[in-house]
mmCIF file of all heavy atoms in Angstrom:
data_model
loop_
_atom_site.group_PDB
_atom_site.id
_atom_site.type_symbol
_atom_site.label_atom_id
_atom_site.label_comp_id
_atom_site.label_asym_id
_atom_site.label_seq_id
_atom_site.Cartn_x
_atom_site.Cartn_y
_atom_site.Cartn_z
ATOM 1 N N MET N 1 -140.087 79.469 -1.634
ATOM 2 C CA MET N 1 -141.521 79.061 -1.734
ATOM 3 C C MET N 1 -142.103 79.496 -3.090
ATOM 4 O O MET N 1 -141.819 80.562 -3.554
ATOM 5 C CB MET N 1 -142.340 79.733 -0.647
ATOM 6 C CG MET N 1 -142.338 78.997 0.601
ATOM 7 S SD MET N 1 -143.840 79.648 1.422
ATOM 8 C CE MET N 1 -143.310 79.873 3.025
ATOM 9 N N ASP N 2 -142.866 78.594 -3.632
ATOM 10 C CA ASP N 2 -143.524 78.923 -4.862
ATOM 11 C C ASP N 2 -144.890 79.538 -4.612
ATOM 12 O O ASP N 2 -145.738 79.016 -3.839
ATOM 13 C CB ASP N 2 -143.773 77.654 -5.682
ATOM 14 C CG ASP N 2 -142.428 77.076 -6.220
ATOM 15 O OD1 ASP N 2 -141.564 77.885 -6.495
ATOM 16 O OD2 ASP N 2 -142.351 75.834 -6.254
ATOM 17 N N GLN N 3 -145.089 80.692 -5.190
ATOM 18 C CA GLN N 3 -146.396 81.352 -5.052
ATOM 19 C C GLN N 3 -147.217 81.111 -6.342
ATOM 20 O O GLN N 3 -146.719 81.174 -7.415
ATOM 21 C CB GLN N 3 -146.265 82.889 -4.839
ATOM 22 C CG GLN N 3 -145.791 83.218 -3.459
ATOM 23 C CD GLN N 3 -145.819 84.754 -3.347
ATOM 24 O OE1 GLN N 3 -145.560 85.416 -4.257
ATOM 25 N NE2 GLN N 3 -146.029 85.187 -2.121
ATOM 26 N N GLN N 4 -148.464 80.778 -6.087
ATOM 27 C CA GLN N 4 -149.317 80.625 -7.252
ATOM 28 C C GLN N 4 -149.690 82.026 -7.807
ATOM 29 O O GLN N 4 -149.909 82.970 -7.014
ATOM 30 C CB GLN N 4 -150.651 79.878 -6.869
ATOM 31 C CG GLN N 4 -150.394 78.429 -6.622
ATOM 32 C CD GLN N 4 -151.722 77.756 -6.317
ATOM 33 O OE1 GLN N 4 -152.692 78.437 -5.969
ATOM 34 N NE2 GLN N 4 -151.746 76.477 -6.439
ATOM 35 N N GLN N 5 -149.765 82.102 -9.133
ATOM 36 C CA GLN N 5 -150.113 83.355 -9.700
ATOM 37 C C GLN N 5 -151.639 83.554 -9.728
ATOM 38 O O GLN N 5 -152.300 82.714 -10.279
ATOM 39 C CB GLN N 5 -149.534 83.419 -11.139
ATOM 40 C CG GLN N 5 -149.561 84.797 -11.680
ATOM 41 C CD GLN N 5 -148.830 84.863 -13.015
ATOM 42 O OE1 GLN N 5 -148.427 83.814 -13.560
ATOM 43 N NE2 GLN N 5 -148.675 86.025 -13.573
ATOM 44 N N ARG N 6 -152.131 84.527 -9.101
ATOM 45 C CA ARG N 6 -153.539 84.864 -9.015
ATOM 46 C C ARG N 6 -154.020 85.692 -10.165
ATOM 47 O O ARG N 6 -153.263 86.472 -10.699
ATOM 48 C CB ARG N 6 -153.866 85.593 -7.731
ATOM 49 C CG ARG N 6 -154.480 84.812 -6.663
ATOM 50 C CD ARG N 6 -154.741 85.584 -5.472
ATOM 51 N NE ARG N 6 -154.996 87.026 -5.668
ATOM 52 C CZ ARG N 6 -155.918 87.727 -5.174
ATOM 53 N NH1 ARG N 6 -156.792 87.187 -4.337
ATOM 54 N NH2 ARG N 6 -156.027 89.033 -5.421
ATOM 55 N N SER N 7 -155.260 85.496 -10.533
ATOM 56 C CA SER N 7 -155.857 86.364 -11.553
ATOM 57 C C SER N 7 -156.176 87.709 -10.963
ATOM 58 O O SER N 7 -156.560 87.760 -9.771
ATOM 59 C CB SER N 7 -157.125 85.757 -12.108
ATOM 60 O OG SER N 7 -156.846 84.541 -12.789
ATOM 61 N N PRO N 8 -156.075 88.745 -11.691
ATOM 62 C CA PRO N 8 -156.464 90.063 -11.132
ATOM 63 C C PRO N 8 -157.941 90.114 -10.773
ATOM 64 O O PRO N 8 -158.716 89.381 -11.337
ATOM 65 C CB PRO N 8 -156.167 91.035 -12.283
ATOM 66 C CG PRO N 8 -155.289 90.301 -13.226
ATOM 67 C CD PRO N 8 -155.549 88.856 -13.044
ATOM 68 N N ASP N 9 -158.303 90.946 -9.876
ATOM 69 C CA ASP N 9 -159.691 91.089 -9.446
ATOM 70 C C ASP N 9 -160.570 91.431 -10.608
ATOM 71 O O ASP N 9 -161.765 91.054 -10.656
ATOM 72 C CB ASP N 9 -159.818 92.117 -8.301
ATOM 73 C CG ASP N 9 -159.177 91.620 -7.014
ATOM 74 O OD1 ASP N 9 -158.977 90.390 -6.870
ATOM 75 O OD2 ASP N 9 -158.798 92.479 -6.220
ATOM 76 N N SER N 10 -160.082 92.239 -11.551
ATOM 77 C CA SER N 10 -160.978 92.657 -12.616
ATOM 78 C C SER N 10 -161.353 91.442 -13.524
ATOM 79 O O SER N 10 -162.403 91.429 -14.094
ATOM 80 C CB SER N 10 -160.207 93.695 -13.556
ATOM 81 O OG SER N 10 -158.979 93.159 -14.014
ATOM 82 N N VAL N 11 -160.497 90.415 -13.576
ATOM 83 C CA VAL N 11 -160.827 89.249 -14.374
ATOM 84 C C VAL N 11 -161.887 88.477 -13.687
ATOM 85 O O VAL N 11 -162.882 88.027 -14.346
ATOM 86 C CB VAL N 11 -159.552 88.374 -14.526
ATOM 87 C CG1 VAL N 11 -159.913 87.036 -15.142
ATOM 88 C CG2 VAL N 11 -158.507 89.062 -15.359
ATOM 89 N N VAL N 12 -161.860 88.357 -12.358
ATOM 90 C CA VAL N 12 -162.858 87.612 -11.595
ATOM 91 C C VAL N 12 -164.191 88.306 -11.725
ATOM 92 O O VAL N 12 -165.241 87.673 -11.989
ATOM 93 C CB VAL N 12 -162.423 87.508 -10.149
ATOM 94 C CG1 VAL N 12 -163.510 86.848 -9.327
ATOM 95 C CG2 VAL N 12 -161.186 86.745 -10.029
ATOM 96 N N VAL N 13 -164.194 89.616 -11.661
ATOM 97 C CA VAL N 13 -165.420 90.441 -11.799
ATOM 98 C C VAL N 13 -165.967 90.299 -13.203
ATOM 99 O O VAL N 13 -167.242 90.125 -13.396
ATOM 100 C CB VAL N 13 -165.184 91.889 -11.429
ATOM 101 C CG1 VAL N 13 -166.387 92.737 -11.811
ATOM 102 C CG2 VAL N 13 -164.876 92.055 -9.932
ATOM 103 N N ALA N 14 -165.113 90.276 -14.198
ATOM 104 C CA ALA N 14 -165.608 90.135 -15.597
ATOM 105 C C ALA N 14 -166.290 88.791 -15.788
ATOM 106 O O ALA N 14 -167.354 88.692 -16.448
ATOM 107 C CB ALA N 14 -164.435 90.292 -16.533
ATOM 108 N N TYR N 15 -165.740 87.749 -15.195
ATOM 109 C CA TYR N 15 -166.378 86.449 -15.307
ATOM 110 C C TYR N 15 -167.689 86.322 -14.514
ATOM 111 O O TYR N 15 -168.691 85.746 -14.985
ATOM 112 C CB TYR N 15 -165.424 85.343 -14.939
ATOM 113 C CG TYR N 15 -164.273 85.099 -15.844
ATOM 114 C CD1 TYR N 15 -163.049 84.758 -15.375
ATOM 115 C CD2 TYR N 15 -164.418 85.200 -17.208
ATOM 116 C CE1 TYR N 15 -161.949 84.545 -16.226
ATOM 117 C CE2 TYR N 15 -163.352 85.014 -18.083
ATOM 118 C CZ TYR N 15 -162.132 84.723 -17.569
ATOM 119 O OH TYR N 15 -161.070 84.524 -18.433
ATOM 120 N N LEU N 16 -167.653 86.912 -13.341
ATOM 121 C CA LEU N 16 -168.828 86.799 -12.449
ATOM 122 C C LEU N 16 -169.984 87.644 -12.970
ATOM 123 O O LEU N 16 -171.146 87.278 -12.748
ATOM 124 C CB LEU N 16 -168.509 87.211 -11.024
ATOM 125 C CG LEU N 16 -167.639 86.250 -10.225
ATOM 126 C CD1 LEU N 16 -167.324 86.808 -8.888
ATOM 127 C CD2 LEU N 16 -168.299 84.893 -10.136
ATOM 128 N N VAL N 17 -169.719 88.710 -13.698
ATOM 129 C CA VAL N 17 -170.806 89.559 -14.201
ATOM 130 C C VAL N 17 -171.109 89.218 -15.609
ATOM 131 O O VAL N 17 -172.289 89.232 -16.033
ATOM 132 C CB VAL N 17 -170.381 91.037 -14.101
ATOM 133 C CG1 VAL N 17 -171.374 91.977 -14.783
ATOM 134 C CG2 VAL N 17 -170.180 91.484 -12.645
ATOM 135 N N GLY N 18 -170.066 88.916 -16.468
ATOM 136 C CA GLY N 18 -170.253 88.733 -17.850
ATOM 137 C C GLY N 18 -171.058 87.475 -18.189
ATOM 138 O O GLY N 18 -171.972 87.511 -19.096
ATOM 139 N N VAL N 19 -170.804 86.388 -17.563
ATOM 140 C CA VAL N 19 -171.460 85.121 -17.915
ATOM 141 C C VAL N 19 -172.965 85.191 -17.584
ATOM 142 O O VAL N 19 -173.774 84.870 -18.461
ATOM 143 C CB VAL N 19 -170.813 83.928 -17.221
ATOM 144 C CG1 VAL N 19 -171.601 82.635 -17.389
ATOM 145 C CG2 VAL N 19 -169.412 83.742 -17.749
ATOM 146 N N PRO N 20 -173.388 85.628 -16.384
ATOM 147 C CA PRO N 20 -174.831 85.701 -16.132
ATOM 148 C C PRO N 20 -175.543 86.756 -16.961
ATOM 149 O O PRO N 20 -176.657 86.533 -17.466
ATOM 150 C CB PRO N 20 -174.921 86.132 -14.657
ATOM 151 C CG PRO N 20 -173.695 85.755 -14.032
ATOM 152 C CD PRO N 20 -172.642 85.863 -15.137
ATOM 153 N N LEU N 21 -174.766 87.836 -17.338
ATOM 154 C CA LEU N 21 -175.400 88.828 -18.191
ATOM 155 C C LEU N 21 -175.606 88.255 -19.576
ATOM 156 O O LEU N 21 -176.691 88.460 -20.192
ATOM 157 C CB LEU N 21 -174.481 90.077 -18.263
ATOM 158 C CG LEU N 21 -174.957 91.230 -19.057
ATOM 159 C CD1 LEU N 21 -176.216 91.860 -18.412
ATOM 160 C CD2 LEU N 21 -173.925 92.332 -19.081
ATOM 161 N N ALA N 22 -174.676 87.552 -20.120
ATOM 162 C CA ALA N 22 -174.879 86.934 -21.421
ATOM 163 C C ALA N 22 -175.961 85.896 -21.470
ATOM 164 O O ALA N 22 -176.787 85.838 -22.375
ATOM 165 C CB ALA N 22 -173.537 86.269 -21.853
ATOM 166 N N VAL N 23 -175.986 85.042 -20.412
ATOM 167 C CA VAL N 23 -177.048 84.022 -20.320
ATOM 168 C C VAL N 23 -178.461 84.687 -20.243
ATOM 169 O O VAL N 23 -179.398 84.214 -20.865
ATOM 170 C CB VAL N 23 -176.757 83.048 -19.129
ATOM 171 C CG1 VAL N 23 -177.980 82.194 -18.873
ATOM 172 C CG2 VAL N 23 -175.549 82.268 -19.430
ATOM 173 N N ALA N 24 -178.542 85.680 -19.367
ATOM 174 C CA ALA N 24 -179.838 86.386 -19.259
ATOM 175 C C ALA N 24 -180.241 87.086 -20.572
ATOM 176 O O ALA N 24 -181.377 87.095 -20.943
ATOM 177 C CB ALA N 24 -179.799 87.375 -18.125
ATOM 178 N N GLY N 25 -179.265 87.618 -21.218
ATOM 179 C CA GLY N 25 -179.486 88.298 -22.490
ATOM 180 C C GLY N 25 -180.027 87.324 -23.549
ATOM 181 O O GLY N 25 -180.986 87.587 -24.276
ATOM 182 N N PHE N 26 -179.331 86.173 -23.715
ATOM 183 C CA PHE N 26 -179.788 85.205 -24.656
ATOM 184 C C PHE N 26 -181.203 84.606 -24.301
ATOM 185 O O PHE N 26 -181.996 84.341 -25.175
ATOM 186 C CB PHE N 26 -178.808 84.010 -24.736
ATOM 187 C CG PHE N 26 -177.579 84.417 -25.518
ATOM 188 C CD1 PHE N 26 -176.315 84.315 -24.949
ATOM 189 C CD2 PHE N 26 -177.653 84.804 -26.824
ATOM 190 C CE1 PHE N 26 -175.154 84.663 -25.689
ATOM 191 C CE2 PHE N 26 -176.523 85.210 -27.580
ATOM 192 C CZ PHE N 26 -175.278 85.124 -26.967
ATOM 193 N N ALA N 27 -181.430 84.471 -23.006
ATOM 194 C CA ALA N 27 -182.791 83.992 -22.578
ATOM 195 C C ALA N 27 -183.840 85.022 -22.973
ATOM 196 O O ALA N 27 -184.902 84.602 -23.430
ATOM 197 C CB ALA N 27 -182.811 83.776 -21.053
ATOM 198 N N LEU N 28 -183.570 86.278 -22.811
ATOM 199 C CA LEU N 28 -184.531 87.317 -23.201
ATOM 200 C C LEU N 28 -184.756 87.299 -24.710
ATOM 201 O O LEU N 28 -185.881 87.543 -25.212
ATOM 202 C CB LEU N 28 -184.082 88.705 -22.792
ATOM 203 C CG LEU N 28 -184.475 89.223 -21.412
ATOM 204 C CD1 LEU N 28 -183.830 90.556 -21.142
ATOM 205 C CD2 LEU N 28 -185.980 89.364 -21.370
ATOM 206 N N VAL N 29 -183.661 87.150 -25.474
ATOM 207 C CA VAL N 29 -183.783 87.088 -26.917
ATOM 208 C C VAL N 29 -184.673 86.012 -27.413
ATOM 209 O O VAL N 29 -185.603 86.214 -28.253
ATOM 210 C CB VAL N 29 -182.423 87.081 -27.601
ATOM 211 C CG1 VAL N 29 -182.527 86.743 -29.111
ATOM 212 C CG2 VAL N 29 -181.616 88.329 -27.387
ATOM 213 N N PHE N 30 -184.513 84.848 -26.880
ATOM 214 C CA PHE N 30 -185.246 83.673 -27.384
ATOM 215 C C PHE N 30 -186.596 83.499 -26.777
ATOM 216 O O PHE N 30 -187.430 82.715 -27.251
ATOM 217 C CB PHE N 30 -184.360 82.430 -27.239
ATOM 218 C CG PHE N 30 -183.188 82.428 -28.113
ATOM 219 C CD1 PHE N 30 -181.910 82.444 -27.522
ATOM 220 C CD2 PHE N 30 -183.250 82.437 -29.469
ATOM 221 C CE1 PHE N 30 -180.793 82.435 -28.421
ATOM 222 C CE2 PHE N 30 -182.204 82.475 -30.348
ATOM 223 C CZ PHE N 30 -180.911 82.466 -29.779
ATOM 224 N N SER N 31 -186.870 84.182 -25.623
ATOM 225 C CA SER N 31 -188.201 83.938 -25.004
ATOM 226 C C SER N 31 -189.107 85.161 -25.126
ATOM 227 O O SER N 31 -190.287 85.054 -24.744
ATOM 228 C CB SER N 31 -187.991 83.586 -23.529
ATOM 229 O OG SER N 31 -187.490 84.716 -22.838
ATOM 230 N N SER N 32 -188.597 86.235 -25.656
ATOM 231 C CA SER N 32 -189.370 87.452 -25.707
ATOM 232 C C SER N 32 -190.243 87.551 -26.967
ATOM 233 O O SER N 32 -189.766 87.223 -28.084
ATOM 234 C CB SER N 32 -188.485 88.672 -25.617
ATOM 235 O OG SER N 32 -189.234 89.833 -25.763
#
């Protein structure tokens, strides 16, 4: 059987936390 290679949990957390943090930061920079 072929198993799909999963991303490590740290990668998923980095994407789930990093993208909203960056978007919120840029929103604060341009609207403050």
Side-chain angles (χ1 to χ4, degrees):
M1 274 201 223
D2 292 326
Q3 284 186 330
Q4 288 183 342
Q5 193 171 7
R6 255 181 26 135
S7 294
D9 292 338
S10 59
V11 173
V12 175
V13 170
Y15 290 144
L16 289 177
V17 173
V19 172
L21 185 63
V23 170
F26 284 121
L28 269 175
V29 167
F30 292 117
S31 67
S32 175

